[in-house]
């Protein structure tokens, strides 16, 4: 029996699938046949919450997963995102109401569905009041085009402002042992408002799996991690020093490092969904095995002491990308910047 979590009116698997890297961001995407195997294997193993976005492959990801999952539409909760899309081959943040509504119509067509279960504002457009963007999402709910609304990579203050316009069902933010920003205020705000925290990159973008030992040689030129300071040679070399202790705890518990990372995320609060991505059915099966792992408070405390904002080296994003992010940031005396 899979761990279950609540997202708005939906009951979903706590371990759910982010579909981004089937089309976008982490090097060369898999071919369609491989992507289909990943999606249908996830479905077969009890995953019923699938996450995509207009940005991913500039529409390609929605076009990929829509037809594959359409025969099973009544069995899944389907999430997508607006407010950050591809325009003339470039990523553009645009939270204007008219753009949100147009993007929703385009997403519905690509996904081949009459309604999107959860529709997020992918990024806060700092030129548009959050109340205006949320109002557009609320209009889409009234029109029956989406069922619930969400926000991504935003602060507690922004969540509260949006929630005053329309209930927020979920907030998606990066959350893992090495990215703790939601712990500042967002995690508690979500709990207070009855929203789920959908934790993306719970495996620390591959770092916690131990498979990425040399980003300089292992990452393709277009891999987004090449633009992230933590993956720079000097920072990454220092971060690798955290892994032996982490691996030792995984061995002690009797699970893989990936399963330990996912279990830690789910153990932090019962309103968290761990949203992982993979191109491999093997890794998919391994990750879903986290359902059978249990961590005691002492183990969680040891993990917290080992990998945290004071022990991780390097900022999460480069300055240009960070300027687009609305989340609260840590300011510590340790190695972490940002």
């Amino acid at each position: 029996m899979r761990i279950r979590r609540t997202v708005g009116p939906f009951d979903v698997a706590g371990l759910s699938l982010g579909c981004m890297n089937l089309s976008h961001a982490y090097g060369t995407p898999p071919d369609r046949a491989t992507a289909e195997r990943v999606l249908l294997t996830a479905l077969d193993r009890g995953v019923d919450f699938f996450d995509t976005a207009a940005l991913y492959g500039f529409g390609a990801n929605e076009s990929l997963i829509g037809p594959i999952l359409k025969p099973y539409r009544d069995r899944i909760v389907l999430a997508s995102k607006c407010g950050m899309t591809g325009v003339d081959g470039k990523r553009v943040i645009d939270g204007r109401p008219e753009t949100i509504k147009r993007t929703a119509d385009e997403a519905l067509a690509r996904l081949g569905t009459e309604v999107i279960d959860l529709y997020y504002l992918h990024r806060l457009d700092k030129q548009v009041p959050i109340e205006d963007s949320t109002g557009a999402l609320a209009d889409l709910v009234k029109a029956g085009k989406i069922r619930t609304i969400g926000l991504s990579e935003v602060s507690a203050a922004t969540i509260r402002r949006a929630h005053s316009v329309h209930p927020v069902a979920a907030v998606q933010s990066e959350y893992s042992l090495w990215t703790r920003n939601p712990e500042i205020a967002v995690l508690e705000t979500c709990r207070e408002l009855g929203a789920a925290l959908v934790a993306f990159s719970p495996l620390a973008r591959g770092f916690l799996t131990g498979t990425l030992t040399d980003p300089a040689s292992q990452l393709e030129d277009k891999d987004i991690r090449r633009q992230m300071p933590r993956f720079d040679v000097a920072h990454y070399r220092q971060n690798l020093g955290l892994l032996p202790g982490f691996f030792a705890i995984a061995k002690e518990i009797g699970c893989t490092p990936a399963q330990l990372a996912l279990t830690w995320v789910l153990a932090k609060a019962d309103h968290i969904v761990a949203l992982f991505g993979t191109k491999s059915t093997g890794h998919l099966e391994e990750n879903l095995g986290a359902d059978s792992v249990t961590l005691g408070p002492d183990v969680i405390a040891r993990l917290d002491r080992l990998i945290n904002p004071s022990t991780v080296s390097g900022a999460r994003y480069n300055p240009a990308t960070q300027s687009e992010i609305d989340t609260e940031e840590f300011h510590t005396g340790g190695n972490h910047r940002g």
Side-chain angles (χ1 to χ4, degrees):
M1 181 66 180
R2 298 238 170 264
I3 295 168
R4 308 298 295 177
R5 293 291 153 96
T6 298
V7 178
F10 307 113
D11 175 70
V12 303
L15 291 165
S16 294
L17 190 66
C19 301
M20 179 179 76
N21 58 359
L22 297 178
S23 304
H24 183 84
Y26 290 107
T28 303
D31 59 30
R32 190 186 188 281
T34 301
E36 183 171 9
R37 280 197 299 274
V38 169
L39 291 166
L40 296 183
T41 301
L43 190 72
D44 185 59
R45 298 297 186 268
V47 174
D48 53 9
F49 184 28
F50 293 83
D51 178 278
T52 182
L55 177 72
Y56 302 159
F58 294 173
N61 197 243
E62 290 175 327
S63 296
L64 170 72
I65 74 168
I68 294 171
L69 295 178
K70 187 173 182 177
Y72 316 98
R73 184 66 185 87
D74 61 345
R75 291 172 48 187
I76 66 170
V77 174
L78 185 60
S80 193
K81 308 180 196 71
C82 61
M84 187 161 62
T85 57
V87 178
D88 296 328
K90 295 183 179 180
R91 180 175 60 85
V92 173
I93 295 175
D94 185 347
R96 292 175 296 173
E98 59 269 28
T99 303
I100 288 172
K101 293 178 180 181
R102 186 187 72 247
T103 304
D105 287 337
E106 294 167 350
L108 288 166
R110 286 191 292 260
L111 290 165
T113 188
E114 295 181 354
V115 63
I116 296 169
D117 297 313
L118 172 62
Y119 204 44
Y120 295 93
L121 183 69
H122 204 158
R123 288 290 185 273
L124 173 67
D125 183 342
K126 297 182 180 180
Q127 306 305 312
V128 178
I130 186 61
E131 291 84 356
D132 292 356
S133 297
T134 306
L137 293 170
D139 288 345
L140 290 170
V141 174
K142 292 175 187 174
K145 294 181 178 182
I146 68 174
R147 291 196 168 102
T148 60
I149 76 169
L151 305 171
S152 179
E153 291 279 66
V154 293
S155 65
T158 298
I159 297 167
R160 293 185 185 279
R161 286 172 58 191
H163 194 78
S164 71
V165 176
H166 188 280
V168 174
V171 176
Q172 188 167 135
S173 198
E174 184 174 355
Y175 187 44
S176 68
L177 271 163
W178 86 339
T179 296
R180 305 289 198 92
N181 302 63
E183 294 178 1
I184 301 172
V186 165
L187 189 57
E188 176 60 20
T189 298
C190 286
R191 188 193 65 77
E192 290 177 12
L193 299 179
L197 180 83
V198 178
F200 76 82
S201 297
L203 299 173
R205 303 184 187 272
F207 169 70
L208 291 172
T209 68
T211 57
L212 185 62
T213 56
D214 182 13
S217 64
Q218 288 179 259
L219 299 183
E220 295 181 30
D221 290 344
K222 292 185 178 181
D223 193 303
I224 60 171
R225 289 171 289 186
R226 284 192 171 273
Q227 305 302 317
M228 296 176 176
R230 289 181 186 176
F231 292 89
D232 288 348
V233 173
H235 287 303
Y236 204 75
R237 185 180 298 120
Q238 189 163 336
N239 289 326
L240 286 173
L242 301 170
L243 290 181
F246 180 70
F247 294 163
I249 294 174
K251 184 176 180 180
E252 174 188 328
I253 297 300
C255 66
T256 70
Q259 290 167 349
L260 181 60
L262 290 165
T263 303
W264 177 90
V265 168
L266 290 173
K268 296 303 282 188
D270 61 9
H271 61 290
I272 296 175
V273 173
L275 188 76
F276 67 86
T278 183
K279 303 175 188 179
S280 157
T281 54
H283 290 160
L284 171 72
E285 299 276 14
E286 176 189 351
N287 293 346
L288 293 176
D291 261 329
S292 62
V293 180
T294 302
L295 303 182
D298 57 326
V299 174
I300 294 172
R302 286 164 58 196
L303 290 168
D304 286 343
R305 289 192 297 270
L306 178 66
I307 305 175
N308 61 63
S310 295
T311 63
V312 172
S313 182
R316 184 161 71 109
Y317 290 124
N318 62 43
T321 303
Q322 184 60 49
S323 70
E324 302 171 345
I325 304 296
D326 182 51
T327 55
E328 295 88 354
E329 299 298 319
F330 284 102
H331 299 282
T332 73
N335 297 315
H336 179 87
R337 294 186 295 106

